[in-house]
Amino acid sequence: MFFKQLATTDSSLSYFFGCGGLGKAVAVDVVAGDETWFIEQAAQAGVTITHVIDTHVHADHLSGGRSLAQMSGARYCLHESARGFVRFDFEALRDRQVIVAGNVTVEVLHTPGHTVDSMCLLVTDRRRGEAPWFVLTGDTLFVGAIGRPDLAGREREMANILYDTLHDKLLTLPDAIEIYPGHQAGSVCGAGLSGKPSSTLAFEKRWNAALSQPREAFVDALLAQIPPRPHAMDRIVAQNIAA
């Protein structure tokens, strides 16, 4: 298995990984302008990009996911709940669906809260073992922080949904799971993000205060620290969902 993390604009983190032996690769949360990097990395590794996935419709940067999919002939994927507002065709992913990229598998976890369509991607290298190795958490769980719940305009409702997502989906994973988020320090997608671009679930359980709070305290604390809305958010979202 190969794995690459790309630190890009607006404190975003993108990912490129797959199976070099069988020549299959997946690109996740591609930022517009970075498409050529993924094409070059695929050529260097001798792999074909089969899936391009956005963990949700982004509000802080323009996605390069669709254009990379067109350039590479890959499938462009969002969670199926995005059908309610996205104005173009995409491959709709379902909760617990498994994507196979050679010896690498990707299990889709629907994790709403930051947005209704948010997903996390649980990745296993089957040549290494049957247990999952890491999870790409998008903007649901960051290192030292969690995603903001207000982008849909229903802050308290979404904060409660995010609490359920964290406790029902992510905190039930093995403690040894590595965590790779969609943003790091400097992003407005959450408050108090670390500059460290990865962690483990065990470390976050120990030091990420939001993960140990009861529901009411969690919701109140989350709503009290919502950052300013992303610059040009309405324009960015409109472009990311446009046909």
Side-chain angles (χ1 to χ4, degrees), residues 88-121:
F88 55 83
D89 291 332
F90 60 89
E91 178 156 322
L93 302 181
R94 306 176 309 278
D95 186 44
R96 301 298 180 178
Q97 178 178 344
V98 175
I99 295 168
V100 178
N103 289 310
V104 174
T105 61
V106 182
E107 183 178 358
V108 176
L109 303 179
H110 183 212
T111 52
H114 174 64
T115 64
V116 296
D117 60 313
S118 288
M119 297 182 292
C120 294
L121 304 173

Side-chain angles (χ1 to χ4, degrees), residues 52 63-71 76 88-89 239-243:
V52 180
S63 170
R66 271 196 292 166
S67 60
L68 176 60
Q70 291 167 358
M71 292 167 68
Y76 176 66
F88 55 83
D89 291 332
Q239 288 186 242
N240 282 340
I241 68 174

Side-chain angles (χ1 to χ4, degrees), residues 133-145:
W133 187 351
F134 61 88
V135 58
L136 304 184
T137 54
D139 287 1
T140 298
L141 175 62
F142 301 119
V143 179

Side-chain angles (χ1 to χ4, degrees), residues 7-13 60 182-188 193:
T8 181
T9 58
D10 299 309
S11 303
S12 297
L13 297 168
D60 68 314
H183 288 90
Q184 56 185 333
S187 171
V188 295
L193 282 70

